[in-house]
Amino acid sequence: MSGPALRRTLGLGDAVTVGLSAMIGAGVFVAFAPAAAAAGSGLFLGLAIAAFLAYCNASSSARLAVRYPQSGGTYVYGRERLGPFWGHLAGWSFVVGKSASCAAMALAVGHYAWPAQAHAVAAGSLVALTALNVAGVERSARVARVIVAVVLAVLVAVGVSAFGSAAAEPSRLLDGAAAGPFGVLQAAGLLFFAFAGYARIATLGEEVRDPARTLPRAIFVALAVALGVYALVGVALVAVLGTDGLAASAAPVADAARVAGFPVAVVTVTACVAALGSLLALLLGVSRTALAMARDGHLPRVLAAVDGRRGVPVRAELAVGVVVTIVAATAEVGAAIGFSSFAVLVYYAVANASAWTLESRARTRIVPALGLTGCLVVALSLPAGSVSAGIVVLVAGALAYAVTRRNAPSG
């Protein structure tokens, strides 16, 4: 590998906050409503399934990240453990799916901040955050730390206010009719979308100090904190709004705050901050995976350059920023989220399949097997439009591999 290497400047706290800013982002403000609509009183079973699936994926990702502490995450794992095609397919799923997710997060900022100019605000947000990332990942991590602190504080405050309000009725946790196993799996898919940020930690493998120690700890700490916050918020929302009220709400956290007497303006501002934090971490992860794929010839090699002075992949950052800005200026939130959900589950399926190959002992293969099976089942349980679009994109990725493999290193 030629050219300057990325700098190992991030510590445990930096890596955890990058992951948390992706997990505890806009998803916590929007994911519970469609999940409640899909599963009714089965919402919490869906949350449990999503959490267990996240645990399986975190375990597999941590083991792989220790073995391969490089930028690219599952793209690298799939390439090294399963072969170039599967690495390419994982990288393709991540870059394309998470680019759509970046656009959705930016559009969430636009709809909260200035609904009449949502697309313009989304594009402006992407330009600003791309400039921040190009300036250096250390600055991005510091900003992520501030965003995580603010979002966590407000979410905990809303949850406590909701539980302490006269509107809270614990009996509502058992209200509503579950939509059956298929509805519960759909809810799990929607809620897992918000958990998935820990992958961003693994994609920073070349930029953390002592990766063998830092990466596993950062993944599990970030996941545990996110899990606790989601459980608190989910129970608070149902206790105040009920499953029917939650399902009908376009802004459930704001509606719960209004009923509980918590300042709604604070929630609105926090939702924008959360979306920006998630977007910041997503842009970091997508650009690093693009960097790894460009190094192997699966994306234009010009994107593989790392700026020697700042230690960041400037060209990959700018390319991702331009593409996502165009999507955000033209696409709608619902289409972007549905498409992204399918792609990210395929990405994690490859991660679990890769972890399966690390050891031959049956005991060490249980978690990867459960993770792989869960990812595929939940992905195929998503709405038909999302599944169809995702399959088309996977086929396009396979065709792209056939075209570009002649540029990839042999062996």
Side-chain angles (χ1 to χ4, degrees):
M1 187 186 305
S2 60
L6 298 173
R7 296 174 181 171
R8 295 192 182 277
T9 57
L10 303 181
L12 175 63
D14 295 325
V16 168
T17 53
V18 167
L20 280 176
S21 66
M23 282 187 279
I24 305 178
V28 73
F29 293 92
V30 297
F32 280 102
S41 61
L43 165 67
F44 295 104
L45 180 56
L47 181 62
I49 293 173
F52 178 73
L53 191 55
Y55 166 77
C56 293
N57 294 339
S59 178
S60 295
S61 296
R63 293 174 61 201
L64 289 159
V66 170
R67 183 75 66 90
Y68 304 102
Q70 308 168 32
S71 282
T74 300
Y75 166 69
V76 173
Y77 313 151
R79 182 191 67 197
E80 297 297 322
R81 306 303 308 182
L82 304 175
F85 172 77
W86 293 105
H88 172 84
L89 195 65
W92 179 271
S93 298
F94 185 89
V95 171
V96 175
K98 287 303 183 178
S99 292
S101 186
C102 286
M105 294 299 179
L107 285 166
V109 176
H111 284 295
Y112 270 99
W114 193 359
Q117 297 294 331
H119 287 84
V121 172
S125 299
L126 284 163
V127 169
L129 291 182
T130 298
L132 178 63
N133 284 340
V134 168
V137 69
E138 296 168 88
R139 300 185 188 182
S140 298
R142 286 197 291 268
V143 171
R145 182 183 296 115
V146 174
I147 292 174
V148 167
V150 171
V151 175
L152 285 176
V154 172
L155 287 174
V156 170
V158 171
V160 171
S161 297
F163 284 125
S165 71
E169 296 183 16
S171 62
R172 288 174 173 160
L173 298 176
L174 301 177
D175 287 346
F182 190 75
V184 170
L185 289 174
Q186 280 200 9
L190 292 164
L191 292 169
F192 175 77
F193 176 80
F195 276 115
Y198 53 78
R200 239 66 70 236
I201 300 171
T203 60
L204 299 176
E206 285 187 52
E207 295 164 271
V208 296
R209 298 187 296 270
D210 190 12
R213 176 180 172 84
T214 300
L215 288 175
R217 293 175 64 196
I219 288 171
F220 287 112
V221 169
L223 178 60
V225 174
L227 208 57
V229 171
Y230 267 68
L232 171 67
V233 172
V235 172
L237 291 176
V238 174
V240 172
L241 301 176
T243 54
D244 290 341
L246 176 57
S249 175
V253 179
D255 288 343
R258 184 178 296 106
V259 173
F262 190 87
V264 177
V266 173
V267 173
T268 300
V269 172
T270 303
C272 291
V273 172
L276 287 170
S278 183
L279 177 57
L280 181 64
L282 283 171
L283 287 170
L284 282 171
V286 173
S287 64
R288 269 54 182 183
T289 301
L291 167 69
M293 294 182 72
R295 284 171 172 171
D296 289 348
H298 295 304
L299 287 177
R301 290 189 183 275
V302 69
L303 302 180
V306 175
D307 183 88
R309 181 172 63 86
R310 284 167 288 187
V312 296
V314 173
R315 293 175 181 174
E317 294 273 16
L318 291 175
V320 170
V322 169
V323 170
V324 177
T325 299
I326 293 172
V327 174
T330 57
E332 297 302 327
V333 176
I337 290 177
F339 172 78
S340 179
S341 296
F342 183 89
V344 76
L345 284 163
V346 171
Y347 173 85
Y348 286 121
V350 175
N352 282 290
S354 300
W356 166 274
T357 69
L358 288 174
E359 296 183 44
S360 59
R361 291 180 299 167
R363 184 168 60 88
T364 62
R365 286 182 161 182
I366 293 175
V367 170
L370 292 173
L372 172 60
T373 302
C375 284
L376 294 178
V377 170
V378 172
L380 294 174
S381 300
L382 288 166
S386 298
V387 175
S388 299
I391 290 174
V392 168
V393 168
L394 291 182
V395 172
L399 293 175
Y401 176 78
V403 172
T404 61
R405 64 181 174 178
R406 65 179 180 272
N407 297 322
S410 60

